[in-house]
Amino acid sequence: MTDWLHTVNLETMEGASPIENKVASSGLITIDLESFFPLQDFLVFDVKDFLFMGLILKEKDFREALKNFDWEKFRNQTVSIICSADAIVPVWAYMLAATYMSNVNAKYSFATTEEMVKESFVKSIDALDVELYRDQRVIVKGCSDKPVPVSAYVHITQKLQPVVKSLMFGEACSNVPLYKKKST
């Protein structure tokens, strides 16, 4: 019944050539933007928590609350400074919070955590040595387990297009061609 099923060892067959991994030998360089995802979590400092009734900034109370706040949880952390309430908060209030963040060596930004993730991708992509990709065939991996922002894909395109031979999106076995340098 199983006469038709048998195993063949291609390496020992006379005259047979070994199986070639065409993807490995294609010369494609894959960039996985997921590897650029920030390693640290972002903490959030919400000014709303220091407003009277979550809506009104009373300067004296605000200053006193910030002065007495335990800033140590932000030491050496990356912090998103926001106000989640629909309140009018003067710019100096964010600046005052930033001075306390500086005192505990926090990296901070007036941005949502999503915006900070985008900023982190921009910094990582800007730090890329594009000379490594000069005249290469590059594919930007399309699938990831983490939410890579679309802006990162656009930014890596802007960074690589001037130097690469070709740029693709997806996987080596099924990609979408995006750019091919014209022959001169």
Side-chain angles (χ1 to χ4, degrees):
M1 191 75 164
T2 60
D3 291 342
W4 59 272
L5 181 63
H6 60 279
T7 304
V8 176
N9 183 342
L10 293 178
E11 292 177 12
T12 60
M13 285 181 59
E14 285 187 40
S17 57
I19 296 173
E20 179 186 349
N21 182 339
K22 291 185 179 184
V23 171
S25 63
S26 69
L28 282 176
I29 297 174
T30 300
I31 296 177
D32 184 357
L33 287 180
E34 184 175 18
S35 68
F36 290 61
F37 206 85
L39 298 176
Q40 78 282 4
D41 289 329
F42 298 113
L43 300 180
V44 175
F45 178 81
D46 194 344
V47 170
K48 172 193 69 114
D49 299 334
F50 298 87
L51 302 177
F52 177 70
M53 298 177 64
L55 293 172
I56 301 165
L57 187 137
K58 292 184 173 181
E59 182 177 350
K60 184 178 177 185
D61 294 344
F62 182 77
R63 286 181 178 276
E64 191 64 27
L66 292 187
K67 180 180 170 187
N68 294 323
F69 183 72
D70 180 15
W71 293 95
E72 282 303 311
K73 70 179 181 178
F74 295 117
R75 181 165 299 282
N76 300 320
Q77 299 295 315
T78 304
V79 184
S80 165
I81 300 174
I82 64 165
C83 182
S84 63
D86 189 17
I88 298 172
V89 178
V91 173
W92 66 260
Y94 298 109
M95 294 171 69
L96 184 59
T99 65
Y100 285 99
M101 293 289 176
S102 292
N103 291 340
V104 292
N105 200 34
K107 296 177 204 149
Y108 53 88
S109 185
F110 179 75
T112 64
T113 54
E114 293 82 12
E115 291 167 334
M116 291 184 74
V117 167
K118 288 178 184 179
E119 286 177 19
S120 180
F121 271 97
V122 166
K123 287 178 185 174
S124 295
I125 292 168
D126 283 346
L128 265 183
D129 179 5
V130 294
E131 288 306 313
L132 298 172
Y133 306 100
R134 182 162 299 283
D135 298 321
Q136 299 296 318
R137 297 173 61 225
V138 178
I139 186 162
V140 178
K141 187 176 176 195
C143 297
S144 62
D145 293 327
K146 296 180 181 175
V148 175
V150 174
S151 60
Y153 291 99
V154 172
H155 195 65
I156 194 81
T157 302
Q158 180 183 33
K159 182 86 172 178
L160 293 176
Q161 186 174 350
V163 298
V164 298
K165 181 178 183 179
S166 64
L167 185 63
M168 295 160 271
F169 172 82
E171 302 292 330
C173 59
S174 66
N175 63 69
V176 178
L178 304 171
Y179 167 78
K180 187 171 184 175
K181 185 185 277 184
K182 294 179 182 168
S183 300
T184 53

